[in-house]
Amino acid sequence: MTKQDVIKTDAVIIGAGPVGLFAVFELGLLDIKAHLIDILDRPGGQCTELYPEKPIYDIPALPVVTGQELTDRLMEQITPFKPEFHFSQMADSLAKTEDGLWRVGTDDDTLLEAPVVIIAAGGGSFTPKKPPIKGIEEFENTSVFYAVRKMEQFRDKNILISGGGDSALDWTLNLQPIAQSVTLVHRRDEFRAAPDSVNKMRTLANDNKITLHIAEPVALNGANGQLESVRLRSKTSGEFDVVCDTMLPFYGLTMKLGPVANFGLNLHENLIPVDTEKFETNTPGIFAIGDINHYPGKLKLILSGFHEAALMAQQAFRYIHPDKKLRFQYTTSSSSLQEKLGVK
Amino acid sequence: MRITVTDQNGTEHKIDALEGWSVMEIIRDHDLNIKAECGGCLSCATCHVYVDKDWLGKLHPPRDDETDMLEAEAFAIEENSRLSCQILFTEELNGLKLTLAPGTEKDA
Ligand SMILES: Cc1cc2nc3c(=O)[nH]c(=O)nc-3n(C[C@H](O)[C@H](O)[C@H](O)COP(=O)(O)OP(=O)(O)OC[C@H]3O[C@@H](n4cnc5c(N)ncnc54)[C@H](O)[C@@H]3O)c2cc1C
Ligand code: FES
């Protein structure tokens, strides 16, 4: 990696949930430009992943708003500040550079450098659920994959896909043309996926281009990380083995603290302790806001996260523009703020 | 009123139950090892429990969306699998027995 490949910015925000998004706004008012990283492929965190259609009633001045609507409105509100998003990437390293900046790396080899890093990692990164099959770890990343990054990797493979949602169906359809064989396994003969994908999958099954089993994977066979077959259990025909060299389980996502645990920050029961003046961690220049932080009286509410973002931005400003004086202004009356917002 | 919860390690806990709470909320309130990540909005299946067979008939049957979520995201489903956030505790359920299913543990 050469120096040019490193993206330099003012602030790196880990997590594009509601709190990470609003932080862009508060930072933007203070002329601080932000990049955001999220392992999900879209903004909104818990609001869009867990409850996009559910109403939220305790956002000040919005009597009712759904998780998706709140996210859409935040995205609209921060547009003037042109935040840059790095989606589908896990922030997995944090280190100090020789110039005293913070360098954040992702699992997709993006490198970002900034004077401040804001951890808005919420309940943790959304990661695939792992089926509790004995010994599955032994096969992970050699034969068992929870996500498809590069399709080519699966050319000419004998693939077993398990699950009954959109991911399972989409990858069945996408990989079937290039794989040696595809077997789809689901617990019942009903699928919670786009009707069009279900129809296409049924056609492939009827034409014997894929195999469909109504069963549950219960054991993996193989050695040295190389899968040889998967044992399935079905209600009607008992247990049987399906020969395959690759398995892709798709059982939805769950939140796990993930790599943030290895950033060398203080942790208190998987949360990051901060002060309540600046919402800074024990490491200067590293902030934690939203559901991920901990302090006496903390409430895991969107409202609290918004407040934390505003106070965090004040201190971030001092790091990023040390020679400038912080001026308290209202968006209502400050023409310079209105210019930044593009309304003037 | 009480319910008996067997955790993922096989330890039995007899805990006080409040009418009007969901069984998931009761378990969570006693700090047992249940993730219940979505707080009861049927989008996580991390509140999966096995209901003691003797009690199964006393519960209202699962709605379609509960069954859908179980099938999509829970592991090791059995005939007596339920999502505990969908079971409302009432007086009739005093003494209810259940076991926390694999995959419901909080992060270590
Ligand atoms: C069902 C439900 C209903 C709720 N209702 C309300 C309500 O009515 N009112 C209210 O105020 N709150 C409510 N909440 C809580 C609210 O959703 C949270 O407080 C809020 O989402 C926290 O926002 P956040 O930005 O801190 O974190 P999150 O929304 O959790 O977002 C964090 C993001 O960071 C990402 N991330 C974490 N680590 C990494 C990493 N290393 N690399 C890349 N990405 C990473 C995650 O993938 C995630 O997208 C509800 C929550 C649930 C589950
Ligand atoms: S708590 Fe998420 S489905 Fe019950």
Side-chain angles (χ1 to χ4, degrees):
Chain A
M1 184 87 29
T2 59
K3 258 250 161 22
Q4 284 87 334
D5 295 327
V6 179
I7 302 168
K8 296 228 174 191
T9 184
D10 295 334
V12 176
I13 303 174
I14 299 176
V19 177
L21 294 178
F22 193 65
V24 172
F25 185 86
E26 290 295 335
L27 293 167
L29 289 180
L30 301 178
D31 291 318
I32 300 169
K33 167 134 179 88
H35 279 245
L36 297 97
I37 303 168
D38 206 300
I39 185 69
L40 294 178
D41 59 2
R42 62 212 149 98
Q46 294 174 47
C47 298
T48 44
E49 188 56 37
L50 292 175
Y51 60 103
E53 309 294 335
K54 299 251 170 198
I56 310 170
Y57 299 102
D58 58 352
I59 304 297
L62 291 179
V64 53
V65 63
T66 66
Q68 184 63 53
E69 283 165 357
L70 180 79
T71 304
D72 293 346
R73 287 176 178 223
L74 284 165
M75 288 297 282
E76 184 188 334
Q77 192 170 24
I78 65 178
T79 308
F81 301 114
K82 302 192 179 65
E84 287 180 51
F85 292 94
H86 305 269
F87 285 124
S88 307
Q89 295 186 36
M90 180 80 92
D92 63 1
S93 67
L94 174 71
K96 195 136 200 175
T97 67
E98 282 169 12
D99 327 330
L101 296 170
W102 289 105
R103 175 184 283 193
V104 181
T106 76
D107 63 350
D108 204 25
D109 294 334
T110 303
L111 281 179
L112 294 147
E113 277 180 13
V116 307
V117 172
I118 296 121
I119 301 177
S125 54
F126 279 96
T127 42
K129 281 189 190 160
K130 298 183 177 185
I133 301 175
K134 235 180 112 201
I136 193 165
E137 299 81 16
E138 191 198 326
F139 299 100
E140 284 171 1
N141 302 320
T142 47
S143 299
V144 173
F145 302 89
Y146 299 102
V148 176
R149 284 259 164 110
K150 294 187 182 71
M151 265 174 59
E152 259 322 292
Q153 185 184 357
F154 300 106
R155 180 174 292 279
D156 300 328
K157 297 281 185 192
N158 294 297
I159 308 172
L160 183 136
I161 297 178
S162 61
D166 280 308
S167 303
L169 274 272
D170 287 352
W171 288 117
T172 299
L173 300 180
N174 289 332
L175 292 173
Q176 183 274 329
I178 65 166
Q180 181 77 32
S181 71
V182 173
T183 304
L184 177 63
V185 179
H186 185 42
R187 282 187 281 243
R188 60 172 182 168
D189 208 1
E190 264 173 68
F191 292 83
R192 247 172 48 130
D196 180 51
S197 314
V198 179
N199 291 338
K200 285 188 179 143
M201 181 277 291
R202 296 257 183 227
T203 309
L204 289 176
N206 287 336
D207 297 347
N208 290 321
K209 289 188 172 145
I210 63 161
T211 312
L212 174 63
H213 286 301
I214 305 308
E216 186 164 19
V218 289
L220 307 183
N221 309 309
N224 304 323
Q226 188 46 62
L227 192 63
E228 283 155 19
S229 67
V230 173
R231 170 148 304 185
L232 302 181
R233 182 189 296 149
S234 108
K235 280 186 189 141
T236 48
S237 34
E239 293 197 2
F240 58 98
D241 287 338
V242 170
V243 174
C244 60
D245 47 45
T246 304
M247 179 182 182
L248 306 173
F250 293 112
Y251 292 102
L253 304 176
T254 187
M255 287 182 282
K256 288 230 153 74
L257 180 57
V260 170
N262 310 324
F263 284 0
L265 303 167
N266 263 351
L267 286 181
H268 168 83
E269 293 178 353
N270 275 348
L271 298 169
I272 304 174
V274 290
D275 67 76
T276 50
E277 182 194 346
K278 312 179 296 273
F279 298 93
E280 198 166 11
T281 67
N282 64 322
T283 308
I286 310 289
F287 298 83
I289 56 174
D291 278 14
I292 191 74
N293 74 13
H294 177 76
Y295 53 85
K298 167 73 182 181
L299 281 180
K300 286 190 186 181
L301 288 176
I302 297 166
L303 160 81
S304 322
F306 287 175
H307 159 81
E308 294 158 17
L311 268 61
M312 169 280 294
Q314 301 286 308
Q315 180 66 11
F317 178 90
R318 296 187 180 100
Y319 285 113
I320 296 158
H321 303 298
D323 42 347
K324 286 196 203 154
K325 203 165 156 51
L326 196 58
R327 179 171 160 211
F328 178 76
Q329 302 179 90
Y330 290 124
T331 55
T332 331
S333 46
S334 155
S335 52
S336 81
L337 290 186
Q338 288 169 3
E339 242 164 64
K340 291 175 201 173
L341 291 166
V343 291
K344 190 104 192 169
Chain B
M1 289 185 287
R2 303 192 116 187
I3 63 174
T4 303
V5 181
T6 306
D7 66 22
Q8 298 89 346
N9 300 324
T11 312
E12 227 179 69
H13 305 263
K14 284 195 171 48
I15 60 177
D16 290 329
L18 273 180
E19 181 146 20
W21 285 42
S22 77
V23 168
M24 176 278 281
E25 289 170 318
I26 294 167
I27 299 170
R28 194 178 56 181
D29 192 53
H30 286 83
D31 272 338
L32 299 187
N33 194 5
I34 190 167
K35 193 164 188 182
E37 168 168 273
C38 80
C41 74
L42 270 186
S43 51
C44 74
T46 55
C47 63
H48 174 200
V49 296
Y50 304 120
V51 174
D52 190 280
K53 299 248 163 47
D54 296 340
W55 284 92
L56 214 48
K58 302 208 172 73
L59 303 181
H60 62 83
R63 290 199 324 234
D64 283 353
D65 48 359
E66 179 184 338
T67 310
D68 282 352
M69 195 50 187
L70 262 171
E71 299 280 353
E73 298 202 11
F75 297 111
I77 303 183
E78 301 291 342
E79 294 297 325
N80 56 341
S81 283
R82 292 294 303 261
L83 293 177
S84 59
C85 68
Q86 300 303 305
I87 307 172
L88 192 68
F89 186 78
T90 56
E91 219 177 311
E92 295 80 70
L93 297 184
N94 188 13
L96 176 70
K97 279 190 172 163
L98 44 85
T99 303
L100 300 179
T104 54
E105 303 86 359
K106 291 186 229 172
D107 285 355

